[in-house]
Amino acid sequence: MFIYLVLITIFTNIDCKNVLVLIADDAGFETKVYNNTVCKTPNLNKLAEKSVIFRNAFTSVSSCSPSRSVIMSGLPQHQNGMYGLHQGYHHFMSFDEVQSLPLILKNNNIHTGIVGKKHVGPSYVYPFDFAETEENHSILQVGRNITYMKHMVRKFFHHHNDSRPFFLYIGFHDPHRCGHTNPQYGAFCEKFGNGEPGMGTIPDWKPVKYDSDEVEVPYFVQDTPAARQDLAKQYTTISRLDQGIGLILEELKNAGHDKDTLILYSSDNGIPFINGRTNLYDSGMGEPFLVSSPYQTKRNGQVSDILVSHVDIVPTILDWFNIPYPSYKLNKKIVKPTGKSLLPVLNSEPHSGYETVFASHNLHEVTMYYPMRVIRNQQFKLIQNINYKMPFGIDQDFFISDSFQDLLNRTRSGIPTHWFKTLKEYYYRQYWELYDIKSDPKETKNLMNHLDSGYKNVFLSLKTKLLQWQNVTSDPWICAPWGVLEDAGSYKKNPQCFTADNYLNLHEEL
Amino acid sequence: MFIYLVLITIFTNIDCKNVLVLIADDAGFETKVYNNTVCKTPNLNKLAEKSVIFRNAFTSVSSCSPSRSVIMSGLPQHQNGMYGLHQGYHHFMSFDEVQSLPLILKNNNIHTGIVGKKHVGPSYVYPFDFAETEENHSILQVGRNITYMKHMVRKFFHHHNDSRPFFLYIGFHDPHRCGHTNPQYGAFCEKFGNGEPGMGTIPDWKPVKYDSDEVEVPYFVQDTPAARQDLAKQYTTISRLDQGIGLILEELKNAGHDKDTLILYSSDNGIPFINGRTNLYDSGMGEPFLVSSPYQTKRNGQVSDILVSHVDIVPTILDWFNIPYPSYKLNKKIVKPTGKSLLPVLNSEPHSGYETVFASHNLHEVTMYYPMRVIRNQQFKLIQNINYKMPFGIDQDFFISDSFQDLLNRTRSGIPTHWFKTLKEYYYRQYWELYDIKSDPKETKNLMNHLDSGYKNVFLSLKTKLLQWQNVTSDPWICAPWGVLEDAGSYKKNPQCFTADNYLNLHEEL
């Protein structure tokens, strides 16, 4: 045993294995990597050439802080406590006891750093040795000014003058909308730093402009001039993200770590368009995801179609560093992360073990209570909308966007929306939604209305698995909305859902 | 100015004015002080003889942590950030920037102490010089074992050997239910420490037992054997609370401070019975409230009928200590507490200035999202049920109580409930509820169904005042449920509610 430990230590030191995580903010598939032929992303394309490209990767929750808490903890938002946004009067936070990735790595003598958007807390749960974030900078500077970010990364490598491995997390703020907070820079801050009068200059950024006629409108967004203009602006902002990625990778190379660093690229949640962010339809849940290892290169540039989730990021990185997940309790229950390491996938496409992903959403803004629980496999998806009788919430950011206002105006005026749903359907959803993703990838036909056509067993089987996952991940909403979870006193070791529903038929309309 | 300050200082030192706050947990009006002739509370009766007895006192929110956060901050829960329970996976907290009462007093050289239930956080927002709470003790010991509490109070006075004034906060855990967490001690922990086998002994407690036939059943609880038995147990637990109050007041006297200490007694929220706790009907919102000043004695034993709220506690205590409320911002807005000092009321019943109280509730348990906003004056009450399309939540604690199970069983079996509502009505409420409290104190006739009978102007007037209060108290829910609050960027100085409701008729059934 002693010899084994020594060997591990030597191995780690010799290989000097590091990790670089690149997280975009609200990015989708606007890249050639995912077959978008218009939006130019040369740096992402280049990274993809030395990565495995996951085509079925999903966020665990389509909301910024909750998603980042999952990326950094490996635990669903309902398990780590970050039920909604972290900032301002939302002020959600992870539980004090959560052993996050930066904490585990710190405790294992890995040098940790973060540059850009952090958006999680409390700070002692997510500690970084080196932190240049919105907590000590303007988010525009540290998250969108790629020259500034480059210098911060350079500073990190300057500080990293020891033999320890490092973990560096880059949180781009692009291509997040900003018309809500900084309208002077445009809907997506696409003018910020572009050299025009009053916009300042980001020296390293060469803005790329797009004609709204040429953008590729995703199936879930209305194809109208207003939405197209919004997408064109988003594309311009993606050029900043892409060039930023190029700069960071250049810094990595200059620091001599391009050959010993695992690189992961993804985004926190769906794009900030209708049916995207805050939704758990595939349009809000699907994410770009690239994993590039300098030691496992034979699948470079290949696609993988297994189902992966952001909960897999922590196990992958711990596997890379050869660090076991610590043993501890959250709210008196032992924590067992449900994610799996993706390192084996870099060697060969697995035939089994990656068939199902789960997702859970509670709130985004604190006033947007809309808990959802989701199970998805290669063919089906089941969504539970816990607060379904109330309208789905629209966030502050998206509500005043040209794109959403266009949908509202068209709906009000009774002119064609050029959209695949009605707003009424969007606001009011059924309690359960069951889709055959294979034959209905746009999730338009709710099979709950066709249970007698043979889908009842599909529903019951998925529902059972969803419940099992809620149980394993200590979901406080496991009995919601009709039941009350009893998990203390007599029920401490045998938690139960009690309900008045069977007496009262509380959801009679189902 | 200099002379003025010196005079103030001398005045404060000479008088050595102190404050003792006694907060019961889920207590109601089970005392002779409020005309209950069965439940024996000699110590409360004695305290009332040297207090002004408020007959129209209300909690600002009928839920434990939120209510305590209001008592200790003077700000509604939606303003201080404690939107729900503090413990476990609920883990709500006040904003880091809140200047709470213990913090302000500490900063003004007042010696602060807390013994018993605290139930708020984070700890740096609610700091006490001396703290013996559930955070470092068993809540049963520090909140129900009155002998133990007595010793803790004695310890506080032992430490208080300087000339500074003190502020001592006692958080009794009685008469809170405990069948949910500690069923071995009975529904209300009425057996804990009563000397029976396995119950231990609380030396100072002489348990008082009640026959279920003799209890006074409040109008809002079903009059059945099961509910009566539950009430009898509650009464027994109140004997522990009452005797505890006697012990604490004895300690105060022994420490030589019975003649220079302002004493306040109240409870956090309504009793844990149907229509009580977590509700903002008067049965959940009305609180016992005694204020006893050694310097203003002429109204001792008198009742006051003005409308007062827990938000008045901080201004009263700051007035007593002659400390101004600090100037600071919360979420970028200057904080102006809406409460008023009650010290003038101890001299004479005011003719104006105390006509209206407000309340706001968001959640209790994190799964019980049911935001309500309330305005109440001497005649009318208006309640907004923001998540009204979903069933009202029942908490873990109450759900498994004999009293609630009795209601469920009766409803299921179709036998008379002996209750003034149906469970269906209780679970599903109207969006707005308007009551004429004077003619309908039980709040049974919703005047929203009779707006054409002249109540429309009453509704509109109350609604306008409610909205003004939400604005002044920076309520994030001010636009909920149909609108989106825009308060950043272009709307930073001029926040607006935007809605899709006018296009979509989202609440068509109204």
Side-chain angles (χ1 to χ4, degrees):
Chain A
M1 187 59 182
F2 174 69
I3 292 166
Y4 174 77
L5 282 174
V6 169
L7 283 175
I8 293 287
T9 311
I10 292 169
F11 179 75
T12 307
N13 283 342
I14 288 174
D15 278 17
C16 192
K17 294 168 147 199
N18 308 300
V19 172
L20 174 67
V21 172
L22 306 164
I23 301 295
D25 203 356
D26 293 359
F29 300 99
E30 307 78 15
T31 165
K32 191 180 160 195
V33 178
Y34 288 99
N35 305 321
N36 181 314
T37 57
V38 178
C39 193
K40 295 177 186 65
T41 57
N43 296 287
L44 270 177
N45 302 351
K46 210 168 134 192
L47 176 60
E49 284 167 17
K50 42 176 206 164
S51 302
V52 170
I53 301 156
F54 290 91
R55 291 202 297 197
N56 283 307
F58 299 94
T59 183
S60 168
V61 48
S62 197
S63 170
C64 186
S65 300
S67 174
R68 284 154 203 268
S69 75
V70 178
I71 291 171
M72 290 197 212
S73 76
L75 309 174
Q77 53 87 22
H78 62 251
Q79 188 174 18
N80 77 54
M82 182 76 73
Y83 305 135
L85 295 176
H86 178 59
Q87 84 279 11
Y89 49 66
H90 315 296
H91 92 130
F92 286 99
M93 285 183 237
S94 289
F95 300 121
D96 282 3
E97 299 78 14
V98 167
Q99 297 257 334
S100 74
L101 182 62
L103 185 68
I104 298 169
L105 297 182
K106 194 182 173 73
N107 291 343
N108 281 274
N109 203 32
I110 311 270
H111 184 208
T112 60
I114 180 169
V115 172
K117 186 167 180 175
K118 187 177 178 189
H119 212 194
V120 292
S123 52
Y124 44 86
V125 168
Y126 299 101
F128 285 87
D129 298 325
F130 177 95
E132 305 289 353
T133 71
E134 77 276 11
E135 292 173 3
N136 52 353
H137 295 271
S138 148
I139 184 63
L140 293 180
Q141 293 302 332
V142 82
R144 299 197 201 258
N145 182 340
I146 56 176
T147 302
Y148 196 82
M149 292 176 79
K150 175 183 81 175
H151 288 297
M152 292 294 119
V153 169
R154 197 171 291 171
K155 191 172 154 198
F156 172 76
F157 284 123
H158 182 73
H159 278 77
H160 182 68
N161 48 13
D162 55 37
S163 60
R164 289 181 297 162
F166 68 79
F167 167 74
L168 180 59
Y169 175 105
I170 310 291
F172 290 95
H173 193 27
D174 285 322
H176 196 286
R177 286 184 184 276
C178 84
H180 158 61
T181 51
N182 294 84
Q184 68 275 25
Y185 298 124
F188 283 86
C189 270
E190 70 279 3
K191 298 176 190 168
F192 172 72
N194 73 357
E196 289 175 15
M199 297 299 130
T201 300
I202 299 172
D204 285 301
W205 180 36
K206 311 281 168 284
V208 184
K209 290 196 179 169
Y210 294 87
D211 191 324
S212 62
D213 289 342
E214 63 178 334
V215 299
E216 294 182 5
V217 182
Y219 72 85
F220 54 89
V221 175
Q222 76 273 23
D223 192 347
T224 64
R228 282 180 164 272
Q229 280 159 25
D230 227 13
L231 287 164
K233 291 168 188 168
Q234 181 210 25
Y235 280 22
T236 295
T237 305
I238 282 176
S239 75
R240 198 164 52 207
L241 164 72
D242 182 73
Q243 292 171 39
I245 288 172
L247 293 175
I248 306 297
L249 294 180
E250 190 67 22
E251 290 301 317
L252 184 74
K253 190 175 178 182
N254 293 343
H257 290 298
D258 55 329
K259 299 282 196 298
D260 59 12
T261 300
L262 178 75
I263 303 170
L264 293 93
Y265 166 75
S266 192
S267 174
D268 55 351
N269 47 244
I271 66 174
F273 284 83
I274 196 82
N275 229 59
R277 186 179 66 193
T278 72
N279 285 274
L280 289 175
Y281 299 121
D282 273 14
S283 46
M285 189 173 155
E287 299 300 335
F289 194 36
L290 307 178
V291 180
S292 171
S293 162
Y295 308 128
Q296 295 159 280
T297 58
K298 69 175 187 179
R299 293 195 68 195
N300 275 1
Q302 287 186 18
V303 296
S304 170
D305 283 326
I306 61 166
L307 270 59
V308 301
S309 158
H310 279 166
V311 296
D312 298 325
I313 291 176
V314 165
T316 301
I317 294 174
L318 290 183
D319 187 16
W320 174 264
F321 283 125
N322 207 7
I323 295 171
Y325 190 80
S327 174
Y328 69 104
K329 288 183 178 182
L330 271 181
N331 296 311
K332 301 178 186 167
K333 284 171 199 153
I334 292 172
V335 179
K336 291 187 186 165
T338 51
K340 289 183 287 283
S341 170
L342 300 176
L343 294 187
V345 183
L346 304 185
N347 294 328
S348 63
E349 184 80 347
H351 295 298
S352 66
Y354 298 85
E355 290 89 2
T356 308
V357 291
F358 297 90
S360 83
H361 177 101
N362 285 329
L363 306 98
H364 178 70
E365 294 167 12
V366 71
T367 53
M368 289 168 62
Y369 184 82
Y370 206 84
M372 297 180 276
R373 296 298 180 267
V374 175
I375 177 171
R376 188 199 190 284
N377 59 32
Q378 291 277 15
Q379 184 169 5
F380 292 104
K381 181 194 270 186
L382 179 67
I383 305 173
Q384 181 190 27
N385 295 309
I386 289 174
N387 205 48
Y388 72 105
K389 292 189 184 189
M390 291 300 292
F392 187 81
I394 311 290
D395 58 87
Q396 297 174 323
D397 188 35
F398 181 52
F399 194 92
I400 58 171
S401 70
D402 288 345
S403 174
F404 185 68
Q405 287 296 314
D406 172 58
L407 255 192
L408 275 183
N409 289 334
R410 287 174 178 272
T411 300
R412 179 179 53 176
S413 311
I415 59 177
T417 60
H418 302 291
W419 188 44
F420 77 138
K421 290 186 178 180
T422 67
L423 276 177
K424 199 84 185 212
E425 289 166 338
Y426 187 75
Y427 274 104
Y428 284 108
R429 304 177 181 191
Q430 286 184 243
Y431 178 40
W432 291 104
E433 296 179 74
L434 175 65
Y435 298 107
D436 181 339
I437 302 281
K438 274 213 170 142
S439 69
D440 175 28
K442 298 179 181 177
E443 297 158 278
T444 58
K445 185 180 174 187
N446 186 356
L447 299 176
M448 292 303 291
N449 304 324
H450 305 272
L451 286 190
D452 46 4
S453 314
Y455 292 107
K456 191 160 185 184
N457 286 340
V458 174
F459 167 62
L460 292 177
S461 162
L462 290 173
K463 189 180 164 193
T464 300
K465 284 179 186 158
L466 185 58
L467 206 64
Q468 283 166 349
W469 174 74
Q470 289 183 274
N471 190 34
V472 168
T473 57
S474 306
D475 187 353
W477 279 261
I478 192 168
C479 306
W482 315 120
V484 176
L485 171 62
E486 297 292 348
D487 59 358
S490 313
Y491 304 100
K492 196 170 175 181
K493 292 189 174 166
N494 181 29
Q496 300 281 322
C497 289
F498 288 99
T499 180
D501 189 34
N502 49 345
Y503 310 168
L504 293 170
N505 208 15
L506 293 178
H507 60 303
E508 66 209 73
E509 75 280 16
L510 282 186
Chain B
M1 188 58 183
F2 174 70
I3 294 166
Y4 173 75
L5 283 175
V6 170
L7 284 175
I8 293 288
T9 311
I10 292 168
F11 179 73
T12 307
N13 283 343
I14 287 172
D15 279 16
C16 193
K17 294 167 149 201
N18 308 300
V19 173
L20 173 67
V21 172
L22 307 164
I23 300 295
D25 202 356
D26 293 359
F29 300 99
E30 306 77 14
T31 162
K32 191 179 160 196
V33 178
Y34 288 99
N35 304 321
N36 180 313
T37 56
V38 178
C39 194
K40 295 178 186 64
T41 57
N43 296 287
L44 270 175
N45 301 352
K46 208 167 136 193
L47 176 60
E49 283 168 16
K50 44 177 205 162
S51 303
V52 170
I53 302 156
F54 290 91
R55 292 202 293 198
N56 283 307
F58 300 94
T59 184
S60 169
V61 48
S62 196
S63 170
C64 184
S65 300
S67 174
R68 284 154 203 268
S69 76
V70 177
I71 290 171
M72 289 197 212
S73 76
L75 309 174
Q77 54 86 22
H78 63 252
Q79 189 173 18
N80 77 53
M82 182 78 70
Y83 304 136
L85 294 176
H86 178 58
Q87 85 279 10
Y89 48 70
H90 316 295
H91 90 131
F92 286 100
M93 285 183 236
S94 288
F95 300 122
D96 281 3
E97 300 77 13
V98 167
Q99 298 257 335
S100 74
L101 183 62
L103 184 69
I104 298 169
L105 297 182
K106 192 181 174 75
N107 291 342
N108 280 274
N109 203 32
I110 312 270
H111 185 207
T112 60
I114 180 169
V115 172
K117 185 168 179 174
K118 187 177 178 190
H119 213 193
V120 292
S123 51
Y124 44 86
V125 168
Y126 299 100
F128 285 87
D129 298 326
F130 177 95
E132 306 289 354
T133 71
E134 77 277 11
E135 293 173 2
N136 51 353
H137 294 270
S138 148
I139 183 63
L140 293 181
Q141 294 301 331
V142 83
R144 298 200 200 254
N145 182 341
I146 56 176
T147 302
Y148 196 80
M149 293 177 79
K150 175 183 82 173
H151 288 297
M152 293 293 121
V153 169
R154 196 172 291 172
K155 190 172 155 198
F156 171 77
F157 284 124
H158 183 73
H159 279 75
H160 182 68
N161 46 14
D162 55 36
S163 59
R164 290 180 297 162
F166 68 80
F167 167 73
L168 180 60
Y169 176 105
I170 310 292
F172 290 95
H173 193 26
D174 284 323
H176 195 287
R177 284 184 185 277
C178 84
H180 158 60
T181 51
N182 295 84
Q184 68 275 26
Y185 297 124
F188 283 86
C189 271
E190 71 278 3
K191 298 177 192 167
F192 172 71
N194 72 357
E196 289 175 15
M199 296 299 131
T201 300
I202 299 172
D204 285 301
W205 180 35
K206 309 281 167 285
V208 184
K209 291 194 179 172
Y210 294 87
D211 191 324
S212 62
D213 289 341
E214 65 177 334
V215 300
E216 293 183 6
V217 182
Y219 71 85
F220 53 90
V221 174
Q222 77 272 24
D223 193 346
T224 63
R228 283 182 163 269
Q229 278 159 24
D230 227 13
L231 288 164
K233 292 168 188 168
Q234 181 210 26
Y235 280 21
T236 295
T237 305
I238 282 176
S239 75
R240 197 164 52 206
L241 164 72
D242 182 73
Q243 291 171 38
I245 289 172
L247 293 175
I248 305 296
L249 295 179
E250 190 66 22
E251 291 300 318
L252 184 75
K253 190 175 178 183
N254 293 343
H257 290 297
D258 56 327
K259 297 283 195 300
D260 59 12
T261 301
L262 177 74
I263 303 170
L264 294 93
Y265 166 75
S266 192
S267 174
D268 55 351
N269 47 244
I271 65 173
F273 284 83
I274 196 83
N275 229 59
R277 186 178 66 190
T278 74
N279 285 274
L280 289 174
Y281 299 121
D282 273 14
S283 45
M285 189 173 156
E287 300 301 336
F289 194 35
L290 307 179
V291 181
S292 171
S293 163
Y295 308 129
Q296 295 159 280
T297 58
K298 68 175 185 177
R299 294 195 69 194
N300 277 0
Q302 286 186 18
V303 295
S304 171
D305 283 324
I306 61 166
L307 271 59
V308 301
S309 159
H310 280 166
V311 296
D312 298 326
I313 291 176
V314 166
T316 300
I317 294 174
L318 290 182
D319 187 16
W320 173 264
F321 283 124
N322 208 7
I323 295 171
Y325 190 80
S327 173
Y328 70 103
K329 288 183 178 182
L330 270 182
N331 296 311
K332 300 178 184 165
K333 285 172 199 153
I334 292 170
V335 178
K336 290 186 184 165
T338 52
K340 289 184 287 284
S341 170
L342 300 177
L343 293 187
V345 184
L346 303 185
N347 293 327
S348 62
E349 185 81 347
H351 295 299
S352 66
Y354 299 84
E355 291 88 3
T356 308
V357 291
F358 297 90
S360 82
H361 177 101
N362 286 330
L363 307 98
H364 179 68
E365 296 167 12
V366 72
T367 53
M368 289 169 60
Y369 184 82
Y370 206 84
M372 298 181 276
R373 296 297 180 267
V374 174
I375 177 171
R376 188 199 191 284
N377 60 32
Q378 291 278 14
Q379 185 169 5
F380 292 104
K381 180 193 269 185
L382 180 66
I383 305 174
Q384 181 190 26
N385 296 309
I386 290 175
N387 206 48
Y388 72 105
K389 293 188 183 189
M390 291 300 293
F392 187 81
I394 310 292
D395 59 86
Q396 297 173 324
D397 190 34
F398 181 52
F399 194 91
I400 57 172
S401 71
D402 288 345
S403 174
F404 185 67
Q405 288 296 315
D406 173 56
L407 255 191
L408 276 184
N409 290 335
R410 288 173 177 272
T411 300
R412 180 180 51 176
S413 312
I415 59 176
T417 61
H418 302 290
W419 189 44
F420 77 139
K421 289 186 178 180
T422 67
L423 276 177
K424 198 85 183 212
E425 288 167 338
Y426 187 76
Y427 274 105
Y428 282 107
R429 303 176 182 193
Q430 286 185 243
Y431 178 40
W432 291 104
E433 296 179 73
L434 175 63
Y435 298 106
D436 183 338
I437 302 280
K438 275 213 170 144
S439 69
D440 176 28
K442 297 179 182 178
E443 297 158 278
T444 57
K445 185 180 175 186
N446 186 356
L447 299 176
M448 292 304 291
N449 304 323
H450 305 272
L451 286 189
D452 48 3
S453 313
Y455 291 108
K456 191 161 186 183
N457 286 340
V458 174
F459 167 61
L460 292 175
S461 162
L462 290 173
K463 189 181 165 193
T464 301
K465 284 178 187 159
L466 185 59
L467 206 64
Q468 285 166 349
W469 174 74
Q470 288 183 274
N471 191 34
V472 168
T473 56
S474 304
D475 187 353
W477 279 260
I478 192 169
C479 305
W482 316 118
V484 177
L485 170 63
E486 297 291 349
D487 59 358
S490 313
Y491 305 100
K492 195 171 174 179
K493 291 188 175 166
N494 180 30
Q496 300 281 321
C497 288
F498 288 99
T499 180
D501 189 34
N502 48 346
Y503 309 169
L504 293 171
N505 208 16
L506 294 178
H507 60 304
E508 68 209 74
E509 74 281 14
L510 283 186

